[in-house]
Amino acid sequence: MEVLLKNLTKVFPSRNKKSGEEVVAVNDMTITIPDGKLVGLLGPSGCGKSTTLYMICGLQKATGGQIFFGKDDVTNLTPENRGVGLVFQNYALYPHLTVKQNILFPLQNLKGEDKLSKDEMLKRAIDVARLVQIDNLLDRKPSELSGGQQQRVAIARALVKMPRVLLLDEPLSNLDARLRLQTREEIRRIQRETKITTVFVTHDQEEAMSISDEIVIMKLGVVQQIGKPQDVYDSPANLFVAKFLGTPPINVFSGCVKNEKVYIGRDMIMDAKGVEDQEVWVGIRPEGFVLDEKGPLHCEMNAVEVMGRDVSIVASNSSAATPTIRAIIPSDSGVDHSGKSVTFSLKPYKTFIFNKETEERIYLEK
Ligand code: ADP
Ligand code: MG
């Protein structure tokens, strides 16, 4: 089921009538979520991810715009009539019901032609329990389960009605690091098996990158970029996106373009054919640095952190936007651990420049 959000907008009125301003939680959002894919909705806290999800499922009414499931305009349908499954961060299971009863619950309220017999309900519940691998826990209460198991029950409950669209709002946030990794792989597997069109909300870039067919990056209610995780990482549309994706994060320098060359301080780091003279932000991915005595970029060296396969060079440069910058280089590239300074050449496809004011990417000729 393809999902289309068309100019979707949500404005919350100010809480304080006199002084407060209204909040535009989602601003003119237009995206297509392809049939059968898992799309990660990614951005910092407060950027409008949950609000978007709640509009898709119908818990929040859109202020403007439309929502389509395939050809159906569902903008004004109630949540029950949209055929969506929803999973929250805090599982929200009924504590007094067993796992089986929790999973059965959504089926017991079906009316009219959707109504199922007891046997059909039980079969469905057991099928989804098997899918999420909790079929051995059916008689337990939620309090007798680990966080990861509880989240599986919540996923089973969302799937049991065979939704057209599955919506997950930060489903891994309450789990510890190891379970988070494991459950995220599980969600990926379940999504691939069921081929249900899925929207996965998270503020964690690594989580979104690892699980999604496509990611949508939001800032202050506005979509910044949409694409395959690797494509967005390799070609960020603006400084915000460049900074949001990647660990360690991209290194940012204040620089300028002069006579079609890019400078960081006095170091001329690369050509910028056809670009007008201007101030820019220069972004260099940690893996974009190459140790090179004859390289153009000069930095002071603060420390070398050994990571095994790679080393991380912590350095500083007076033009850097942060007190230190970080270069990741293979540990066999012969770094002098006691050096006071370090010189780099840069991989051009790991180095981006951005307009100083708009922070939009300035694309360079290859
Ligand atoms: P996210 O899920 O990305 O953290 P939300 O969608 O929850 O962000 O919130 C987006 C913005 O809308 C925030 O500024 C938040 O304070 C505001 N907001 C969310 N829900 C309400 C509400 N019910 N009333 C007023 N403002 C809200
Ligand atoms: Mg949220």
Side-chain angles (χ1 to χ4, degrees), residues 17-286:
K17 282 251 161 56
K18 279 199 191 118
S19 63
E21 284 177 28
E22 54 184 27
V23 177
V24 185
V26 177
N27 194 346
D28 197 21
M29 182 178 197
T30 297
I31 60 169
T32 302
I33 298 155
D35 178 34
K37 298 290 185 201
L38 189 157
V39 169
L41 199 54
L42 175 65
S45 178
C47 73
K49 305 179 297 293
S50 294
T51 305
T52 304
L53 215 64
Y54 297 161
M55 287 194 285
I56 298 174
C57 74
L59 289 176
Q60 295 268 16
K61 196 172 156 23
T63 313
Q66 286 169 294
I67 302 164
F68 292 89
F69 287 1
K71 292 210 160 54
D72 296 350
D73 182 344
V74 302
T75 316
N76 295 313
L77 292 186
T78 60
E80 303 80 61
N81 291 324
R82 290 190 189 196
V84 292
L86 192 57
V87 177
F88 297 98
Q89 171 178 343
N90 57 352
Y91 336 123
L93 302 175
Y94 300 108
H96 57 288
L97 301 182
T98 63
V99 168
K100 183 163 74 190
Q101 290 165 334
N102 265 285
I103 299 173
L104 282 170
F105 193 85
L107 298 179
Q108 285 159 342
N109 296 319
L110 294 177
K111 304 226 166 56
E113 59 187 62
D114 294 332
K115 208 168 156 56
L116 299 173
S117 73
K118 272 224 163 91
D119 285 350
E120 285 168 320
M121 284 197 261
L122 201 60
K123 179 171 184 311
R124 280 243 212 131
I126 289 169
D127 282 348
V128 288
R130 211 168 274 145
L131 178 70
V132 304
Q133 296 175 347
I134 48 160
D135 43 326
N136 54 334
L137 305 172
L138 287 172
D139 296 321
R140 293 210 201 165
K141 295 270 176 67
S143 61
E144 297 164 334
L145 302 176
S146 72
Q149 289 167 335
Q150 290 186 50
Q151 196 53 297
R152 284 167 197 245
V153 178
I155 294 168
R157 194 179 51 180
L159 290 174
V160 77
K161 272 166 72 177
M162 301 181 178
R164 300 195 283 177
V165 180
L166 180 64
L167 306 170
L168 305 146
D169 192 359
E170 313 242 9
L172 309 178
S173 299
N174 282 5
L175 306 180
D176 66 43
R178 208 165 53 90
L179 260 182
R180 201 149 57 218
L181 219 64
Q182 193 187 340
T183 312
R184 133 182 144 193
E185 285 161 17
E186 273 298 278
I187 290 177
R188 191 57 180 140
R189 175 186 65 78
I190 292 162
Q191 195 277 330
R192 288 233 163 97
E193 277 181 28
T194 58
K195 298 196 176 64
I196 297 180
T197 306
T198 300
V199 184
F200 183 101
V201 161
T202 176
H203 64 274
D204 180 331
Q205 58 93 23
E206 192 202 326
E207 200 167 284
M209 299 258 281
S210 61
I211 204 176
S212 308
D213 294 307
E214 283 188 25
I215 52 175
V216 177
I217 298 167
M218 292 179 77
K219 173 192 172 188
L220 294 173
V222 180
V223 171
Q224 305 291 303
Q225 192 167 1
I226 304 170
K228 294 202 178 91
Q230 191 71 55
D231 293 348
V232 179
Y233 181 83
D234 289 340
S235 188
N238 59 41
L239 185 61
F240 176 83
V241 172
K243 283 161 80 171
F244 204 75
L245 298 185
T247 43
I250 196 164
N251 300 287
V252 180
F253 300 81
S254 178
C256 69
V257 174
K258 213 170 168 189
N259 300 327
E260 304 192 323
K261 311 263 185 218
V262 182
Y263 289 85
I264 292 175
R266 264 185 266 152
D267 295 339
M268 195 282 279
I269 58 154
M270 64 180 189
D271 290 333
K273 224 167 146 237
V275 180
E276 283 178 22
D277 288 3
Q278 60 186 292
E279 305 260 296
V280 292
W281 294 113
V282 181
I284 306 171
R285 294 269 182 221

